[in-house]
Amino acid sequence: MRIVVLGAGYAGLTLARQLEKRLPESVAIVVVNDRPDHLVQHELHRVVRRPSLADGITVDLADALDRASLRVARVTDVDHGANVATLDEEEELSYDVGAVCLGAETAFYDLPGVEEHATPLKRLPDAARTREEYLGLDAGERSVVGGAGLSGVQIAGELAALALEEALDREIVLLEQRDDVAPNFPANFQEAVREELEARDVAVRTGTAVERATDDTVELDGEDLPYGQFVWTGGIRGPDALAGERPTVPDTLRLGGDTFVVGDAARVTDADGEAVPASAAAAVREARSVADSIAGIVSHRQDGGGGNEALFEPRPERFRFDAPGWLVSVGDGAVAQVGPTVFRGTAAKALKTSVGAGYLSSVGAIENAAGLVREELAGD
């Protein structure tokens, strides 16, 4: 029997490690990823200010995986009806049970000029480019960040902190088409995030949609906003292997047949009928739920549940997302929400650091976790 995990982001790596623990040695586990390493995405913004963090938030998959086979290849298509994934556009990889954990890509929504002129923030080269562009601005030039979700908030805060550290004269404008920063989060969390941004001289403009971009201007509704740098964190789309779509799946996280989808690659409705946010916390929890489902399927089939008995395979686990809280860093500060309570300052920053280090430890990257803590403490 072969279990295939497509993608090794938060969802894929967590799922693969769970399956290594849960499945018998007779079951082959194959992990396919387009790179030989795993990026701790929620710390990527830090690399803009502290390039030395790059190694610490990159985990070698060969070290993180125990017995799973790693294939470094790009997944270009998934046929969940045939249980086949296509790699690098021509090789076919069949599976008995598969999980699509390919994450999401940056969405530019066909806005004219935006993809051409803006820098996204998805990978390490994006962080390096953002830093280089920012340091290369002339005094008084404007850096525009499009999109005030958590990623946009974090990069705007990081740019403000970098300007302070390097004594740079920069204007930072954070644009959001909806009425609040950190849309879809509780009002008290949004308010605290906005206050943290404004305390760092980030100009926050909500209710402001980007219509197009040229090489030096972002065009808004009735206004041209000149810029020296344009960073885009305005939304996400599905992976290319799913034709850019994020399919909506139920609380079983089943895409169809013997294929599950985990993490940002899909829109998930949980067992309470609530939409699950695209986040690292959700991806990790979804992966654990799907690991239970796959373990049940494998056990049933290996115990002789073939023929008509296949009709009575165990129902996949129903996923319920119960978020313990939310965290976002804003430069050297942070905002945390635990239950109904929102707090800021040292306690929030310590919690943010501990969550990052805890995740690294959970995927076996103990030295990386210790390095992250040291780096954060050194920055205080």
Side-chain angles (χ1 to χ4, degrees), residues 21-361:
K21 298 173 184 176
R22 303 281 300 276
L23 302 185
E25 294 283 342
S26 59
V27 177
I29 304 169
V30 180
V31 176
V32 182
N33 198 53
D34 60 356
R35 293 183 53 84
D37 49 44
H38 165 80
L39 178 66
V40 183
Q41 187 79 39
H42 70 269
E43 297 290 349
L44 180 59
H45 63 285
R46 294 292 198 197
V47 179
V48 173
R49 183 159 48 124
R50 298 199 175 100
S52 60
L53 268 177
D55 289 341
I57 65 169
T58 305
V59 180
D60 190 324
L61 288 172
D63 293 335
L65 297 170
D66 181 13
R67 68 176 185 86
S69 300
L70 174 64
R71 290 287 309 278
V72 179
R74 187 169 67 95
V75 181
T76 57
D77 185 64
V78 179
D79 184 344
H80 62 77
N83 285 11
V84 171
T86 304
L87 312 184
D88 295 321
E89 299 184 351
E90 53 185 36
E91 180 187 356
E92 292 189 344
L93 176 64
S94 63
Y95 55 82
D96 294 285
V97 182
V100 180
C101 309
L102 294 169
E105 297 294 334
T106 301
F108 296 96
Y109 305 110
D110 295 322
L111 295 169
V114 173
E115 184 171 4
E116 178 183 357
H117 297 294
T119 301
L121 193 68
K122 290 292 289 182
R123 295 170 178 82
L124 286 171
D126 298 331
R129 178 180 172 187
T130 298
R131 176 183 173 85
E132 181 181 1
E133 290 175 341
Y134 190 68
L135 293 177
L137 296 179
D138 293 332
E141 274 199 286
R142 178 182 292 129
S143 176
V144 173
V145 179
L150 298 190
S151 294
V153 166
Q154 293 188 144
I155 189 59
E158 214 62 26
L159 293 176
L162 180 57
L164 185 63
E165 285 184 359
E166 300 293 333
L168 303 173
D169 178 14
R170 302 285 188 268
E171 179 185 0
I172 303 168
V173 178
L174 178 61
L175 304 175
E176 171 54 49
Q177 68 172 342
R178 300 179 70 175
D179 292 334
D180 299 286
V181 298
N184 301 321
F185 289 87
N188 55 348
F189 183 82
Q190 294 173 338
E191 181 181 357
V193 169
R194 186 163 191 149
E195 289 175 357
E196 287 285 329
L197 288 163
E198 292 177 343
R200 289 161 175 78
D201 296 323
V202 174
V204 179
R205 297 183 55 176
T206 52
T208 305
V210 172
E211 294 187 346
R212 66 179 62 241
T214 67
D215 59 359
D216 59 4
T217 302
V218 176
E219 296 184 17
L220 311 174
D221 182 16
E223 177 187 357
D224 290 348
L225 185 67
Y227 70 84
Q229 176 185 36
F230 186 20
V231 180
W232 183 256
T233 60
I236 60 175
R237 65 169 177 82
D240 292 338
L242 296 180
E245 300 296 325
R246 297 179 65 220
T248 299
V249 295
D251 53 22
T252 59
L253 301 170
R254 210 159 199 166
L255 182 61
D258 293 317
T259 306
F260 295 85
V261 61
V262 192
D264 295 353
R267 304 175 191 272
V268 179
T269 301
D270 79 354
D272 294 323
E274 299 292 329
V276 178
S279 66
V284 168
R285 286 166 172 77
E286 288 173 19
R288 292 170 180 160
S289 180
V290 169
D292 288 340
S293 298
I294 293 176
I297 292 171
V298 170
S299 177
H300 174 80
R301 293 183 184 179
Q302 288 202 327
D303 287 345
N308 291 333
E309 291 182 27
L311 297 174
F312 302 101
E313 280 194 344
R315 177 179 170 80
E317 293 290 318
R318 299 183 64 196
F319 176 68
R320 177 175 282 104
F321 182 59
D322 184 16
W326 299 104
L327 287 163
V328 63
S329 61
V330 188
D332 284 325
V335 178
Q337 180 182 12
V338 178
T341 304
V342 172
F343 55 98
R344 297 149 66 176
T346 302
K349 185 179 179 182
L351 183 58
K352 182 76 165 59
T353 302
S354 68
V355 168
Y359 172 74
L360 283 164
S361 297

